[in-house]
Amino acid sequence: MSLLHRLLLLVFLALIPAAVIEIDNEVQLRTAREDEVRQTILRFAQLFAAEQERMMLGVRQLLFTIAQTPVVRDGSPADCQEFLERLRLGIPPYLRVRIAGPERITRCTTDPEGAGQPLHGQPEVESALDGAGFAIGSVAAPSTEPLPREAVALPVALPIQEVGGGIVGTAGALIDFGWVTHALASRPLPEGYALTIFDRSGVVLARVPDRPGTVGHRLPTSGYEPLEGLRAPAVMELPGLDRQPRLVGAVPLGEGMDGMLVAVSVERGAVLVPIERAMVRALSVIGVVMLLTLLASWWGADRFLRRPAYALIEAARRWSEGDLSARTGLADGRSEIGMLGRAFDSMAEALQAQAQAQAAANAMAHKAASVLSSTTDGVFEIDRSWRITFMNDRARALIGGRENLTGRRMRDAFADSTNSVFATHFQRAIAGTETVAFEAFYPPRQAWYAVRAFPSEDGLAVFFQDVTDLRRAEAARRHSEARFRAVFELAAVGIERLDRDGRYLDVNATLCAILGYRREELLEMTYADLTDPADLAMEEVLLTHLMAGVIPSYAIEKRCIRRDGQPVWVRVTSSLSPDADLEEAYRISIVEDISERKVIEGELTAAKEEAERANLAKSKFLAASSHDLRQPLQSLFFFSAALADFVPDGKGRDLLRRLDQGLDSMKGLLDSLLDVSRLDSGAITPTLEDFPVAAVIDAIDAAYAPLATGKGLEWRLESCDATVRSDRTLLARLVRNLVDNALRYTQSGMIRLRCKEEGGRLAIEVQDTGIGIPGDHLERIFEEFHQVGNPERDRALGLGLGLAIVRRLSLLLDHPVEVRSVHGRGSAFRVLVPLGEAQPAAAEAPATAPDGRGRFAVLVDDDAVVLLGLRTVLTEWGYTVLAAGSADQAMERLAAQERRPDILIADYRLREGRVGTEVVRRVRERYGAGVPAMILTGETGTDSLRDAAAHGVPVIHKPVTPRQLWSEVERLLGASEGREGRRPKPIKIGKR
């Protein structure tokens, strides 16, 4: 047999073990993959079984909490149902809670349709009522028929015990197995895997992914016998519901769910067929590789073995013949024969390579010495005779005074360390075989060194570092901690450190005193154990934001429960502080006892509420007093106006004028009372518009210039041409009160009214040279009835309501009022009004004398005197008047008339609880909705205003001057006649 054939045979024999090993590896890989799949299936089943048991434990805790709730244990079914309705929003959708009494009837449930449902014969209910504790029932009784999906729910029950220990009912729940889909939504199974839950009777309770016709059906009777009586987790191969073989990992459930199984399965072919195919492909590749290897071996043997062998034989023949110059010609070959030829041809080159290797070794040694010289550690070596054989530059700098101590003995170089701790450790290291590490102080250098000594056969290698700075930093840190501890313990406020779970890590003595606990007791508690439940939720929100990094710190005032059970108010300021040692964060809080402050705040709040109640009562009193005075004053106005035509010129006319002035003053006082009550009650709503301020200022000038001149004062008015945005009437009222106040308290000198634009506002300023205001009265002058310089309460100086109304109007209009004054020299008030846009001037209508032109007016008032005065005035104005004291009397008298009323004037509050809007409604029902009407009333409350607004009727408050009444009547008639001109003329209604 030739060399080539022998070589091919050897290659074939060598390939056989490799092929066998590869085939064995593929088989083992397939087995390992199958075992891995089985373990994965079983792990998924165990994880889900544990999830099912944790869910059941959570349901048990929930039912226990509900059973302890007084409204469930002792309340009525309605209260219980209301409680569960509120609770339903906080429990998972797959859980239905039901409460039953001892009569086994559902009292209340989170499913309203289940109320009143009987629970007789339910195993879990019977067990719970018998005192068995938490009981789990069956999903359904054994049956050959499939269960509907909505019936696949697991019932559980827990007894409800009264205070004495007796069982008064059960708290139960139905667990819908749809929770499986909810649980796997966030952690889905791998593709191709399926999860199934069976009960003890073989009914499929849940399957994910869902398969139609599966949930509620029983397992097939054949093929699933291994699952019967399964008591431990197992993996087996079973036919699937589609009869395809599947690998099934099954785990029986605990927590009282005996007989129920959780199974995770995957189709066998889906996971093993790819492995088998891969193994076949691998074996095929092995066969092809073996064939190619034999062919390559034949070619390579001829190319690299047979031919080089013949070359070696020829070269050997020539060497035997003495031709030492013969060469094999194989110097470039890569085979063993080529190497043999190259070894002969390059012997000299080998010797040269050996010399080069020696030089490289020397270079490496030099490099190592350089590294030791440049390292940050000091390094020196000593032999076993204690002679220093090497010392790097760092060692010379640290201990040698930069002197090279190489060659000197240790006792000569460091004479003062002969009996030191360094010598002791070095002797112990060189005598043994273990590394010695230590830190020690070297007095000659006044430095600390960290030393590591490595023994060897030649002696000892010593590496050391100067750690003096580290030692000092450590001492400083300990000193800082000691100072912090002193501050911590002696602080006048409570200080606490807590971990992320809220458990106390450390507390000081002040906190112990605040809470009444010993330090050891607090360190076993959490902040939640001591926080009042009413305040806990609010702090938990802040704590969540703090832990998430949303806020850097928070402060909260809350109640804590002391050890004696008493609440104590504290202010807690908390922030996170990193722990450098544990690389975790802890929470540090400052706790202040604020119980005394809370008591003071409570007293202040009570006093404030009492003051507000007194202020409201005062406003109501002013409104009631104003109403009682308005009725007779209104009649005086009407009679005075009617009397004017019968009083000739002379002394009588002068007396009548004085009477009118007195009535105007009284009306002003009552209007002030009305303004205060209406402003306090919020009944006044400003109507903002842009108008020239001269319209207000000129009217005030016309009214008060004669009064100032008559009093001997100089009246100065500076032109005001700006346009402002405000309520025309309320602004006029505010400025009038300021001018009126200046006129009252100025006996000599002047009163000046001027305007000045400042930025985007107009400053209206009222100056006087009156008595001035003392500094301690500047804030009080805006209070009701407060007057400066009027201790006798002279009514000629008013009631002290003018500036109180100014303050209310200022707040209502958002027009700031400023005041400055020098006592004895005068005062200046400024009103800041926003500027508006200029409006085109409107033409003024010429003034006309009252003329009723025979129009028909209906008057309704239960006060005979007011009714008589109003009738007299309107008659004097030329109206035809029908007067009535009630709504019924007015409708009865109107029935005898053939005319349609042109205007209706009614009091709001009539006899027998009737109101004026009723008269308006009845008149309009008879004569049409276009009849003009107004309410003339002494009521100042908001009820009359709202009622009148609902009927579209304006309200005028008594007392009203005849001219004011005439203006409003003419406005209503003008608006009505404008509407009448656009519609057909109404038909007269005759006597009924």
Side-chain angles (χ1 to χ4, degrees):
M1 183 180 292
S2 67
L3 180 63
L4 179 60
H5 292 160
R6 290 190 184 98
L7 180 61
L8 292 177
L9 179 61
L10 289 175
V11 171
F12 180 75
L13 293 177
L15 287 176
I16 290 177
V20 171
I21 292 172
E22 185 63 26
I23 293 171
D24 181 70
N25 287 340
E26 291 296 331
V27 173
Q28 290 182 5
L29 179 62
R30 179 187 179 281
T31 304
R33 175 58 178 157
E34 184 174 351
D35 291 341
E36 180 182 351
V37 171
R38 289 173 176 269
Q39 292 301 320
T40 300
I41 293 172
L42 185 60
R43 183 171 68 256
F44 280 135
Q46 289 172 334
L47 288 174
F48 196 83
E51 185 70 21
Q52 172 76 12
E53 292 173 0
R54 283 195 297 273
M55 184 275 295
M56 185 61 67
L57 180 60
V59 170
R60 181 173 184 175
Q61 294 173 346
L62 174 64
L63 293 180
F64 178 79
T65 303
I66 293 175
Q68 297 301 313
T69 306
V71 69
V72 172
R73 185 180 61 217
D74 306 320
S76 65
D79 294 338
C80 178
Q81 184 63 41
E82 181 182 357
F83 171 75
L84 291 186
E85 285 292 333
R86 294 195 306 268
L87 183 65
R88 182 172 57 181
L89 300 176
I91 63 177
Y94 55 78
L95 191 64
R96 290 173 287 169
V97 180
R98 58 186 183 184
I99 307 301
E103 69 279 2
R104 297 166 177 80
I105 300 297
T106 302
R107 299 175 58 234
C108 54
T109 174
T110 56
D111 181 9
E113 296 180 358
Q117 180 180 358
L119 301 177
H120 299 88
Q122 299 278 352
E124 73 282 358
V125 175
E126 299 297 336
S127 297
L129 290 174
D130 291 341
F134 184 71
I136 302 177
S138 300
V139 174
S143 172
T144 59
E145 296 296 326
L147 293 173
R149 179 177 293 273
E150 59 272 13
V152 182
L154 182 65
V156 297
L158 186 74
I160 300 175
Q161 295 182 341
E162 59 184 357
V163 178
I167 298 177
V168 296
T170 63
L174 290 175
I175 306 173
D176 188 347
F177 280 92
W179 78 273
V180 176
T181 303
H182 175 76
L184 293 180
S186 59
R187 293 177 294 176
L189 292 171
E191 183 178 0
Y193 282 70
L195 184 142
T196 311
I197 301 180
F198 314 93
D199 70 353
R200 58 178 63 88
S201 61
V203 175
V204 178
L205 304 178
R207 189 179 190 275
V208 177
D210 191 15
R211 183 184 181 90
T214 300
V215 177
H217 291 71
R218 292 182 178 278
L219 294 172
T221 56
S222 63
Y224 288 82
E225 294 82 359
L227 295 178
E228 296 180 2
L230 186 65
R231 291 293 180 269
V235 180
M236 58 200 73
E237 183 174 334
L238 298 175
L241 298 178
D242 54 0
R243 310 311 298 171
Q244 295 295 322
R246 299 180 72 87
L247 293 178
V248 180
V251 177
L253 295 179
E255 287 294 326
M257 295 178 286
D258 298 336
M260 295 181 63
L261 296 176
V262 171
V264 175
S265 64
V266 64
E267 188 174 345
R268 185 181 182 279
V271 295
L272 296 184
V273 168
I275 299 175
E276 293 173 350
R277 291 176 179 172
M279 184 177 72
V280 171
R281 286 195 300 270
L283 295 178
S284 300
V285 170
I286 291 173
V288 172
V289 169
M290 289 182 66
L291 180 59
L292 294 176
T293 300
L294 289 174
L295 293 175
S297 299
W298 179 84
W299 178 83
D302 180 70
R303 174 73 173 79
F304 301 108
L305 184 62
R306 188 176 63 85
R307 294 179 186 178
Y310 287 154
L312 284 174
I313 293 173
E314 178 64 19
R317 185 186 62 80
R318 292 176 62 186
W319 291 340
S320 64
E321 294 177 353
D323 187 2
L324 299 181
S325 62
R327 294 291 185 265
T328 63
L330 303 177
D332 296 331
R334 296 188 179 92
S335 64
E336 287 82 356
I337 296 177
M339 293 173 61
L340 181 61
R342 189 168 60 249
F344 180 83
D345 295 337
S346 44
M347 186 179 299
E349 296 177 1
L351 294 175
Q352 184 180 4
Q354 182 178 4
Q356 291 175 349
Q358 182 64 38
N362 293 335
M364 289 295 295
H366 183 269
K367 184 177 181 180
S370 299
V371 170
L372 290 177
S373 297
S374 60
T375 182
T376 58
D377 285 5
V379 182
F380 65 89
E381 296 179 356
I382 54 177
D383 60 16
R384 291 193 172 271
S385 62
W386 299 98
R387 188 181 301 278
I388 300 174
T389 60
F390 171 80
M391 175 176 283
N392 70 351
D393 293 339
R394 181 63 175 166
R396 287 195 294 272
L398 290 177
I399 60 175
R402 301 194 179 276
E403 179 184 356
N404 190 358
L405 304 178
T406 303
R408 299 179 62 181
R409 293 181 178 277
M410 286 288 293
R411 65 171 176 268
D412 298 332
F414 305 103
D416 47 5
S417 64
T418 303
N419 298 319
S420 68
V421 65
F422 294 92
T424 303
H425 283 293
F426 290 161
Q427 290 171 358
R428 181 166 62 88
I430 206 169
T433 58
E434 295 182 356
T435 301
V436 174
F438 63 94
E439 288 188 8
F441 183 72
Y442 187 45
R445 294 289 179 182
Q446 290 294 303
W448 282 87
Y449 295 103
V451 182
R452 289 170 296 161
F454 299 92
S456 66
E457 294 180 356
D458 298 330
L460 197 65
V462 180
F463 292 74
F464 64 96
Q465 287 183 332
D466 188 341
V467 294
T468 305
D469 292 340
L470 292 177
R471 281 276 186 164
R472 291 171 180 170
E474 179 65 20
R477 186 184 66 83
R478 288 195 299 268
H479 181 65
S480 176
E481 288 182 353
R483 286 188 297 175
F484 168 77
R485 195 68 201 175
V487 173
F488 183 85
E489 290 296 337
L490 300 176
V493 296
I495 305 178
E496 59 188 18
R497 288 196 307 117
L498 307 96
D499 62 15
R500 283 183 171 271
D501 297 328
R503 184 169 299 280
Y504 289 105
L505 300 175
D506 198 2
V507 295
N508 68 350
T510 304
L511 184 65
C512 295
I514 293 174
L515 300 177
Y517 285 91
R518 299 193 311 275
R519 186 191 305 269
E520 296 76 12
E521 294 174 326
L522 288 177
L523 296 182
E524 296 179 357
M525 305 173 74
T526 67
Y527 83 98
D529 298 333
L530 301 174
T531 302
D532 191 298
D535 301 331
L536 183 59
M538 179 170 56
E539 185 170 14
E540 286 179 342
V541 172
L542 295 173
L543 185 56
T544 300
H545 291 170
L546 179 67
M547 291 300 183
V550 178
I551 55 176
S553 63
Y554 71 84
I556 185 175
E557 294 183 359
K558 66 175 185 177
R559 289 159 293 185
C560 289
I561 306 302
R562 288 174 49 85
R563 194 173 191 275
D564 57 10
Q566 296 298 317
V568 56
W569 274 99
V570 296
R571 175 180 172 84
V572 178
T573 304
S574 189
S575 61
L576 285 179
S577 178
D579 191 326
D581 295 332
L582 300 178
E583 296 185 353
E584 295 180 354
Y586 63 87
R587 184 158 55 96
I588 186 165
S589 301
I590 304 299
V591 182
E592 304 173 70
D593 187 345
I594 60 172
S595 299
E596 184 176 352
R597 196 197 79 193
K598 281 293 182 179
V599 171
I600 296 174
E601 288 179 354
E603 294 174 350
L604 291 175
T605 300
K608 180 176 178 294
E609 292 174 352
E610 181 63 27
E612 290 175 349
R613 287 194 296 270
N615 189 51
L616 180 60
K618 173 205 66 179
S619 296
K620 291 181 178 179
F621 169 76
L622 290 176
S625 301
S626 173
H627 174 268
D628 292 342
L629 294 174
R630 288 176 186 279
Q631 293 293 92
L633 183 59
Q634 182 64 76
S635 61
L636 289 176
F637 268 111
F638 289 151
F639 285 129
S640 174
L643 187 60
D645 293 338
F646 300 97
V647 177
D649 296 337
K651 187 174 181 180
R653 176 67 68 174
D654 184 60
L655 293 174
L656 185 59
R657 181 178 58 80
R658 293 181 179 275
L659 173 62
D660 288 338
Q661 290 178 348
L663 292 176
D664 286 338
S665 298
M666 186 175 293
K667 180 181 182 301
L669 295 178
L670 289 177
D671 284 343
S672 296
L673 292 173
L674 172 62
D675 286 344
V676 171
S677 62
R678 292 177 67 196
L679 287 170
D680 285 343
S681 64
I684 296 179
T685 301
T687 302
L688 300 180
E689 59 177 328
D690 294 338
F691 61 90
V693 74
V696 173
I697 300 300
D698 291 347
I700 295 175
D701 177 52
Y704 285 94
L707 297 177
T709 303
K711 197 174 179 180
L713 301 175
E714 179 184 356
W715 173 263
R716 297 182 187 176
L717 174 64
E718 298 182 5
S719 62
C720 296
D721 299 327
T723 300
V724 295
R725 182 167 185 78
S726 180
D727 183 295
R728 187 189 303 259
T729 303
L730 297 181
L731 178 61
R733 181 68 173 170
L734 189 154
V735 179
R736 280 177 178 270
N737 281 11
L738 292 177
V739 173
D740 189 67
N741 189 72
L743 189 62
R744 282 197 181 98
Y745 292 98
T746 303
Q747 304 303 323
S748 61
M750 66 88 186
I751 296 176
R752 178 163 60 186
L753 178 59
R754 64 177 182 176
C755 305
K756 181 181 180 182
E757 292 188 18
E758 296 181 359
R761 297 195 178 193
L762 180 70
I764 303 176
E765 186 169 4
V766 179
Q767 296 180 349
D768 65 65
T769 56
I771 63 174
I773 305 169
D776 57 344
H777 285 255
L778 283 176
E779 292 296 331
R780 298 174 56 195
I781 59 174
F782 293 101
E783 299 175 1
E784 296 89 343
F785 308 112
H786 183 80
Q787 292 178 303
V788 178
N790 188 19
E792 300 84 4
R793 307 303 296 173
D794 183 1
R795 289 296 159 255
L797 297 179
L799 290 174
L801 295 174
L803 292 182
I805 295 173
V806 166
R807 179 183 64 178
R808 286 167 168 81
L809 289 174
S810 169
L811 296 175
L812 181 64
L813 296 172
D814 192 20
H815 295 352
V817 176
E818 301 173 353
V819 58
R820 64 183 188 277
S821 180
V822 178
H823 189 212
R825 297 180 58 183
S827 305
F829 289 82
R830 282 165 32 104
V831 183
L832 302 178
V833 186
L835 291 172
E837 297 181 1
Q839 302 294 321
E844 296 184 0
T848 59
D851 185 4
R853 292 177 288 177
R855 285 179 287 203
F856 184 29
V858 178
L859 312 177
V860 182
D861 198 313
D862 59 349
D863 190 313
V865 178
V866 174
L867 183 62
L868 178 58
L870 183 58
R871 177 178 181 177
T872 302
V873 169
L874 288 177
T875 300
E876 291 295 325
W877 289 348
Y879 283 88
T880 301
V881 178
L882 186 150
S886 66
D888 293 337
Q889 188 180 58
M891 299 309 296
E892 180 181 349
R893 293 182 178 179
L894 278 172
Q897 299 289 329
E898 296 183 356
R899 298 182 61 182
R900 174 182 182 271
D902 292 303
I903 189 166
L904 170 62
I905 303 176
D907 189 10
Y908 182 77
R909 192 69 64 188
L910 302 175
R911 293 192 180 94
E912 299 177 356
R914 311 287 278 275
V915 291
T917 52
E918 177 187 349
V919 183
V920 175
R921 179 181 54 80
R922 292 175 64 180
V923 168
R924 288 179 173 175
E925 286 176 354
R926 176 178 295 184
Y927 296 101
V931 177
M934 74 170 66
I935 298 296
L936 183 63
T937 180
E939 293 285 335
T940 60
T942 58
D943 292 341
S944 59
L945 296 176
R946 284 194 293 266
D947 189 16
H951 288 80
V953 181
V955 176
I956 298 180
H957 290 284
K958 299 175 182 177
V960 61
T961 65
R963 180 161 295 279
Q964 290 174 333
L965 178 62
W966 165 256
S967 298
E968 184 64 21
V969 169
E970 285 299 304
R971 186 187 66 80
L972 290 175
L973 289 174
S976 175
E977 290 171 355
R979 291 193 300 269
E980 292 296 334
R982 296 190 296 268
R983 64 177 65 180
K985 193 170 183 67
I987 301 174
K988 290 186 178 180
I989 299 177
K991 182 176 181 181
R992 298 177 61 184

